[in-house]
Amino acid sequence: MANKNLEEKKAFQDYYADDYSHCFGCGRLNENGFKLKSYWDGDESVCHFSPKEYYTGGKKDIVYGGLIAALMDCHGAATAAAAKARELGDEIVQGEIPRFVTAYLRVDYLLPTPIGNELELRGRVKEISGRKVFIEADIIAKQKVCAKGDMLFIQIKE
Amino acid sequence: MANKNLEEKKAFQDYYADDYSHCFGCGRLNENGFKLKSYWDGDESVCHFSPKEYYTGGKKDIVYGGLIAALMDCHGAATAAAAKARELGDEIVQGEIPRFVTAYLRVDYLLPTPIGNELELRGRVKEISGRKVFIEADIIAKQKVCAKGDMLFIQIKE
């Protein structure tokens, strides 16, 4: 399979060009950010994240809904980049992975997400159509899908 | 007009019960959070926020898309609470404003949102149907609508 590097070791975000690595959510050069890391796990992409205790929603025992949306966006954009790279089939070199912007993000909140746990994000590629990549993702806490994401990302032109 | 307090001085979020005031985005009791404040401005709700310089997206000059979504969610939920309170028509007492959870949040990203500016959020009530409140919102930077939000909030049962 092509892009073995993408499947293993390095995260999708580790391949972003420096100029595109400042995202608060997942930029490796953002010293204040979350530095989210996304990887392939078979046909799905996966990312793990444990929010700090103050990322609460209105009530003290649940995760802030805004954070849920933010995690979806970063993991979704990274999955879009990796999926496009995989489609292109070439070995991906640092800085040469396609980069995407979010066109839309929809999050359906199914259950309150309990805080104090590691969250698992699982992404799936719904469709790749030229520069458009449609991604869906789940956020899982304590083995339950608490939120579902539906996203469209557009590849940035060179 | 009823709920004069809601229209003036205090923000919607200042009326939330203590138990529901821990939101990272807008809880007045979350010491680490943004403490967003939403108010009526005629038929629209308004909120102003200046993101810190490290809330960047992939590129250094734009606001993190996840933050945009998070701001929509908080301002939308507050607008839903205030709209329901206004519908009920009673004077709102601290701790007795209806509280809502997000059912879905959709954000359409129209333009990159430039960082280093005060952002303005403007919300509108699309529909109130029992415990459901549909809200739409814009995020404006430098006089341009950079993102649009479409949200459904569900009133929490007593």
Side-chain angles (χ1 to χ4, degrees):
Chain A
M1 200 171 198
N3 303 333
K4 218 173 174 193
N5 284 345
L6 271 182
E7 257 77 41
E8 294 164 9
K9 295 179 201 158
K10 289 175 80 170
F12 303 157
Q13 292 89 351
D14 294 328
Y15 289 90
Y16 292 172
D18 288 357
D19 198 27
Y20 286 95
S21 292
H22 300 288
C23 177
F24 180 81
C26 64
R28 74 190 144 73
L29 301 180
N30 190 323
E31 290 305 323
N32 296 284
F34 297 145
K35 293 193 168 69
L36 297 173
K37 302 288 183 194
S38 304
Y39 305 88
W40 288 124
D41 178 21
D43 280 342
E44 293 190 330
S45 60
V46 69
C47 171
H48 292 99
F49 183 65
S50 297
K52 289 199 173 140
E53 75 289 351
Y54 52 74
Y55 279 111
T56 44
K59 299 205 77 170
K60 264 190 167 170
D61 54 349
I62 58 167
V63 176
Y64 173 39
L67 177 63
I68 303 270
L71 298 175
M72 292 278 191
D73 187 38
C74 282
H75 183 58
T79 303
K84 189 71 189 176
R86 193 166 60 176
E87 187 195 56
L88 295 172
D90 303 323
E91 187 78 17
I92 296 300
V93 179
Q94 169 85 39
E96 295 182 15
I97 191 170
R99 269 297 258 144
F100 285 77
V101 292
T102 316
Y104 70 75
L105 160 68
R106 175 176 163 133
V107 181
D108 284 84
Y109 296 88
L110 309 181
L111 293 173
T113 304
I115 205 159
N117 307 279
E118 185 181 70
L119 303 179
E120 183 170 88
L121 286 99
R122 299 199 74 87
R124 291 172 295 279
V125 181
K126 277 170 68 183
E127 187 188 339
I128 302 179
S129 173
R131 291 169 51 229
K132 293 182 183 174
V133 180
F134 295 84
I135 299 288
E136 57 184 19
D138 297 335
I139 288 191
I140 300 154
K142 290 186 165 180
Q143 285 87 52
K144 286 186 179 162
V145 176
C146 298
K148 294 186 88 70
D150 181 42
M151 296 158 266
L152 168 59
F153 299 95
I154 310 281
Q155 189 178 352
I156 298 168
K157 284 181 179 166
E158 297 291 312
Chain B
M1 200 170 196
N3 303 332
K4 217 172 174 194
N5 283 346
L6 270 181
E7 256 76 41
E8 294 163 10
K9 297 177 201 160
K10 288 174 80 171
F12 304 157
Q13 292 88 352
D14 294 328
Y15 288 90
Y16 292 173
D18 288 357
D19 198 28
Y20 286 94
S21 292
H22 299 287
C23 176
F24 181 81
C26 65
R28 72 189 146 71
L29 302 181
N30 190 322
E31 289 307 322
N32 296 284
F34 297 145
K35 292 194 170 66
L36 298 173
K37 302 287 184 194
S38 304
Y39 305 89
W40 288 122
D41 178 20
D43 280 344
E44 293 191 331
S45 61
V46 68
C47 170
H48 292 99
F49 183 66
S50 297
K52 289 199 173 140
E53 76 288 353
Y54 52 74
Y55 280 111
T56 44
K59 298 205 78 169
K60 265 191 168 170
D61 54 351
I62 58 165
V63 176
Y64 172 40
L67 177 62
I68 304 270
L71 297 176
M72 292 280 191
D73 186 37
C74 282
H75 183 58
T79 303
K84 189 70 189 177
R86 193 165 61 176
E87 188 197 55
L88 296 173
D90 302 322
E91 187 76 18
I92 296 300
V93 179
Q94 168 85 41
E96 295 183 14
I97 191 169
R99 272 296 259 145
F100 286 77
V101 292
T102 316
Y104 70 74
L105 161 68
R106 175 175 163 133
V107 181
D108 284 84
Y109 296 89
L110 308 180
L111 293 172
T113 304
I115 205 159
N117 308 278
E118 184 182 70
L119 305 179
E120 181 171 88
L121 287 99
R122 299 198 72 87
R124 289 171 297 280
V125 181
K126 277 171 67 184
E127 186 189 339
I128 302 179
S129 175
R131 291 168 50 227
K132 293 183 183 174
V133 179
F134 296 84
I135 299 289
E136 57 183 22
D138 297 335
I139 288 190
I140 301 153
K142 290 186 165 181
Q143 286 87 51
K144 285 185 179 163
V145 176
C146 298
K148 295 185 89 67
D150 180 42
M151 297 159 265
L152 168 59
F153 299 94
I154 310 282
Q155 189 178 350
I156 299 169
K157 285 183 180 165
E158 298 289 316

